[in-house]
């Protein structure tokens, strides 16, 4: 009986969710980098991360990045118990961390709800955005994905989060005046385009290409923050690039993944067969 119950525990989402269907696709690596680029434009989020994280230490960046990827994988595909375990660890860690804002002279908590919400919204908003532009889902499914993602927001301590494209657009527009390029963001994002440290050689080769494509997927106002023109022709070219990447990765063998992701691939593809 215990074994059966464990096997039935599919965590927050499950194989009939849009979330599982989206997150098993390799093109979503572009969405992850897009989220990092957007998150970096929020001064407090960026400074708090820069001051507390090993992500910007070349000697430690790869292992720190791997832990983030593992957290997202567990949150998405893990059992309910596994999700709560990793989420509790993250909540406990964030509760102890503080950042300093040189603009105001204030010390702030990294787990301030507004900080957590920006990180969450730009992450799931990027996944929905890239999935739709790559042709994985349509607008209705993008809304369903964002509605599902509220469950992920709650496990990190948020009460609520944007649950549709309209709500996400309104939230981003409200926060947009606060966004700008800081010195910390400039130094941090340079690592995305020229990774150093202990990352495998294949990663060092692939990451700059993925990051460059992700940069092109940003909203026009965000591209201007990075010193790039926000031209409509860029949008069209990037969309075509995403669709080509999705097609190319669709004919390649799956990259080996942890058991919970391998299980998700089997279950999702079994439903769509």
């Amino acid at each position: 009986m215990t074994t059966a119950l464990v096997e039935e525990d599919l965590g927050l989402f499950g194989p009939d969710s849009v979330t599982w269907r989206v997150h098993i696709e390799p093109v979503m690596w572009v969405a992850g980098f897009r989220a990092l680029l957007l998150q970096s434009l929020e001064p407090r989020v960026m400074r708090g991360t820069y001051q507390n994280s090993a992500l910007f230490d070349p000697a430690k960046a790869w292992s720190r990045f791997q832990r983030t990827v593992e957290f997202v994988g567990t949150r998405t595909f893990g059992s309910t118990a596994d999700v709560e375990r990793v989420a509790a660890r993250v909540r406990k860690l964030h509760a102890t961390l503080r950042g300093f804002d040189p603009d105001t002279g204030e010390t702030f908590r990294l787990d301030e709800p507004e900080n957590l919400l920006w990180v969450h919204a730009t992450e799931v908003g990027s996944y929905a955005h890239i999935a739709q532009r790559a042709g994985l889902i349509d607008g209705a499914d993008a809304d369903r994905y964002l509605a599902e993602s509220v469950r992920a927001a709650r496990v990190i301590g948020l009460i609520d989060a944007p649950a549709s494209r309209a709500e996400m657009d309104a939230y981003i527009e409200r926060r947009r005046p606060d966004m700008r390029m800081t010195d910390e963001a400039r130094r941090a994002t340079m690592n995305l385009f020229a990774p150093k440290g202990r990352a495998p050689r294949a990663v060092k080769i692939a990451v700059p290409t993925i990051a460059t494509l992700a940069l092109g997927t940003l909203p026009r106002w965000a591209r201007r923050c990075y010193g790039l023109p926000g031209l409509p022709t860029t949008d069209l070219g990037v969309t075509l690039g995403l669709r080509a990447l999705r097609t190319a990765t669709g004919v390649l063998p799956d990259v080996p993944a942890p058991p919970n992701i391998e299980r998700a691939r089997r279950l999702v593809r079994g439903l769509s067969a």
Side-chain angles (χ1 to χ4, degrees), residues 34-35 38-39 114 116-130 132 139 142-150 153 158 160-176 219 221:
R34 181 184 191 268
L38 281 174
Q39 289 162 8
E114 198 64 29
L116 292 177
L117 183 55
W118 179 253
V119 171
H120 167 80
T122 50
E123 179 194 343
V124 300
S126 290
Y127 282 123
H129 179 87
I130 296 301
Q132 191 173 358
D143 282 335
R144 185 178 162 202
Y145 173 88
L146 291 172
E148 292 171 358
S149 74
V150 175
L158 290 168
D160 207 357
S164 68
R165 288 173 300 158
E167 289 183 11
M168 184 65 73
D169 289 346
Y171 169 72
I172 296 294
E173 189 62 26
R174 177 174 70 80
R175 293 300 321 276
R176 177 177 164 181
W221 63 265

Side-chain angles (χ1 to χ4, degrees), residues 8-24:
E8 292 172 3
D9 183 355
L10 298 173
L12 298 181
F13 303 107
D16 60 344
S17 68
V18 180
T19 299
W20 273 26
R21 180 155 42 105
V22 164
H23 281 250
I24 63 172

Side-chain angles (χ1 to χ4, degrees), residues 1 37 54 102 107 110 133 135 152-153 159-160 206 229 232 246 253 259 267 270:
M1 178 65 71
L37 290 166
T107 298
L110 264 65
R133 284 179 74 173
I159 296 173
D160 207 357
R246 181 237 171 158
L267 291 174

